[in-house]
Amino acid sequence: MNGPDAAAAKKPTTNTEIRNWYNQKVASIPANDAKLKAQGASLEDRAKAAVNIRHEARLEARSFMSNPLEVMMLKARDFFTYGRLDGPSFDQLVKGAKAKGLTGDAVYQSLIDSSKRTNQTVNNHFANQQAKL
């Protein structure tokens, strides 16, 4: 493949490339949310879509990783944090938002908002690292 799409087709292989790829996927959430809003989607459906984009990006980023031990470490972290190997479920996120005192549409808006934010500490860690995962 040649041209502007060639770079997009290249599978990320280093920590930095994988994290940048993940951040680009997460960065697509606001535009997708705006599109769904313009189409009349409910706030709950928009929140589900945002959470799903983030979740799928998490899984796909892990699929790029070449070190199975590192993937298992991430899954172990998720298991001990969320009780699931692949991160929190939508229902867990809703429950967490409600536990913070949010109600009604504020719950779903908070999920959309948090889906757009990535972990700055992790971003900084991988910013200049070129080791393969």
Side-chain angles (χ1 to χ4, degrees):
M1 180 180 295
N2 295 322
D5 293 330
K10 181 182 177 271
K11 178 182 165 185
T13 57
T14 66
N15 292 345
T16 300
E17 290 171 349
I18 293 168
R19 190 63 186 181
N20 288 341
W21 177 92
Y22 174 81
N23 286 335
Q24 288 174 349
K25 289 293 186 181
V26 171
S28 74
I29 292 172
N32 188 68
D33 184 53
K35 180 178 119 184
L36 291 173
K37 185 176 182 179
Q39 293 172 349
S42 70
L43 198 55
E44 180 179 3
D45 286 342
R46 291 168 41 213
K48 285 179 180 177
V51 167
N52 187 58
I53 290 170
R54 179 92 178 248
H55 181 74
E56 291 300 317
R58 169 193 231 116
L59 299 180
E60 194 167 355
R62 289 180 182 176
S63 77
F64 295 143
M65 297 168 69
S66 61
N67 185 331
L69 179 59
E70 290 179 332
V71 174
M72 288 309 302
M73 288 172 55
L74 291 170
K75 288 184 175 204
R77 177 221 173 252
D78 280 350
F79 181 77
F80 288 111
T81 303
Y82 307 111
R84 296 167 35 102
L85 293 175
D86 293 322
S89 68
F90 180 79
D91 290 339
Q92 283 176 303
L93 294 172
V94 167
K95 185 177 178 180
K98 288 179 178 180
K100 293 178 184 174
L102 298 176
T103 59
D105 285 348
V107 169
Y108 301 122
Q109 187 61 55
S110 75
L111 297 185
I112 294 168
D113 293 342
S114 66
S115 291
K116 296 185 253 183
R117 289 189 305 269
T118 60
N119 186 316
Q120 194 58 48
T121 302
V122 175
N123 290 341
N124 292 340
H125 177 74
F126 290 119
N128 297 311
Q129 194 178 64
Q130 289 299 315
K132 288 190 177 190
L133 288 174

